[in-house]
Structures are given as C-alpha cells and as structure tokens.
Amino acid sequence: MITVSIVTYKTPAAELTDILQILDCVNVKKIYVIDNASERRIRDICASFPKTEYIPSSNRGYGAGHNIALRRVLDEEELRYHLVLNTDIRFDNSAIEEMESYMDGHADIGLLHPLVLNPDGSMQHTARLVPAPADLIIRRFCPSGWFKKSRDRYLMKSADKTRPFEAGYVQGSFMFFRIEALRQAGLFDERFFMYPEDIDISRRIHGKWKVVCLPEVRVVHDHRGASYKSMKMLRIHMSNMIRYFNKWGWLADKERERINARII
C-alpha cells in the first residue's frame, strides 16, 4: 500500500481539490495534508475525502511539513512506498500504479521520479546531477545562452529519455520513496526551510540505493518558479542553498563527484 503527503500553504482550493480527486481514484491507503497555514477552508476540503487526514501545522518549511507525515508512516511496518507530492501536479490515474509496479520489480531503487512536463508539453528537466555552486549560479543568474554545455550537463539533457535512467537528485514536486530507504537514509533535513531539501535527501538515498527517473510515467507540473518572481523567495532560496553547501562542501565534495561520475 501507498501513502501520500502534501504540504499546503495558502494553497488555492481548486488546486488542492483537483489533486485529492486524482489520488482518490488510485491505490492509496492514506493521504496526509499538512497545512502550514492552518486554514479552516483547507480542513473543510480534506473532510470531503475519506482517505485524507488534515494536519494543521505552523510553517516550519516544506521538508519539516512532510516529516510530520513521514514519522507516522515509518511506524507502520506493512507500508512499502510513500509519495511526496505537490498540489500543482497532474497525472493519469495509472501513474502511481506504474511506479509501484516498477519499484516492485527493482529492489535496488530507493527513490523514483517520473518525467515532468510543463503544461505546454515541454520538458522541465527535474532529474539532475548533484549540483556544484557554479551550476546553480549559472542557472539562476546567467542568461540562458551562456555556459550552455555546463548547463545542459547539470540538467542531464543528454540522458536517454526513452528508458529509465539514474539521476543525482530529483525535484521535490514528485518523489516516490521506498519506505525502507527512508528508514536507512533519514527524513528531510529540517534545517532547510525550502529548496535544497530534495537535493539533500536524494544524495543520502544514494548511499545504499538508486535514484531513478522513469520516463514512461509522465506528469504535468505547473511550476511557479517563485524565487524568479519574488525577492523574498529569492532570499530564502539563496540562504538555504548556503546552508546546503555549508553542510556538504562548496568546492571540495568528494561524494558529489563520486555520484555524478558514476551517473555520467
């Protein structure tokens, strides 16, 4: 059986309702909605879906919110998989069953990710190498035509998208975890309020498991890119990336080099 966690913060009602309707039709035992704004309207929406449990919370961040659900999930021995999901994702009812089936047949995978598309059908390249500081500086601050070779390498644009492939990390909008891998690697690092928590947990999964993108499963992500539109979110992004590189290393990061070299 599969459990799902969704973290909301002033989320549009229609967006949450849409994703809960999708999940209500698939092989999901329970959906945890952790509301970092503790809004009555979110609680009322969740009450309309029997498999959904509403959990009010103070806003301690994205990973910390999901950890509230994950701590409960780890206590249930019969559960095998857990999906960390954004509300702005859309997919066919068969997507979760396909990912569950693939994980059942590949016991070495700890984290599985679909091919993520923009609403116009273009690719988001959410399966990437483990970043060095230069990768993020180039992507965030340089014109799109600059350092194209380095940019394409980091985004793994040359990976064969017709078959499953390993990635350094996968974006946190859709992370299909093997629960045993979480038991071994640990939960989201709550020092990161937003943004690098997906990089951090992916590389910890790499310790004993594989992180894989499954292109045959495709989802649509209405990615907002908040840090490109808001100075407040940019400051949050930058401060948390500083925490990330302080943890793992700026220029010297042998594990990053090892993971990326193996994948390339």
Side-chain angles (χ1 to χ4, degrees), residues 183-208:
R183 288 193 178 102
Q184 294 183 13
L187 305 183
F188 287 108
D189 188 332
E190 298 185 11
R191 287 175 290 182
F192 308 129
F193 183 80
M194 281 183 70
Y195 295 112
E197 70 283 327
D198 48 9
I199 309 173
D200 177 84
I201 201 167
S202 292
R203 62 182 294 165
R204 285 188 279 119
I205 294 287
H206 271 292
K208 294 185 179 180

Side-chain angles (χ1 to χ4, degrees), residues 94-191:
S94 62
I96 291 181
E97 285 91 341
E98 289 181 51
M99 299 194 82
E100 180 183 23
S101 176
Y102 192 81
M103 289 280 265
D104 284 346
H106 297 81
D108 57 345
I109 297 177
L111 173 55
L112 193 62
H113 186 68
L115 198 69
V116 180
L117 305 176
N118 291 303
D120 64 3
S122 59
M123 199 172 301
Q124 284 194 9
H125 300 291
T126 53
R128 305 170 179 177
L129 295 180
V130 179
D135 294 315
L136 301 183
I137 292 170
I138 288 170
R139 178 164 170 76
R140 182 60 184 81
F141 297 107
C142 294
S144 59
W146 292 17
F147 305 104
K148 186 176 185 303
K149 185 175 180 180
S150 294
R151 189 187 298 262
D152 290 353
R153 176 183 179 275
Y154 166 56
L155 296 178
M156 298 188 66
K157 287 190 176 182
S158 65
D160 184 354
K161 305 302 193 303
T162 65
R163 60 183 183 179
F165 63 93
E166 283 194 74
Y169 87 94
V170 295
Q171 189 189 66
S173 58
F174 193 115
M175 306 180 87
F176 195 85
F177 287 102
R178 188 181 301 276
I179 292 175
E180 183 57 33
L182 286 172
R183 288 193 178 102
Q184 294 183 13
L187 305 183
F188 287 108
D189 188 332
E190 298 185 11
R191 287 175 290 182

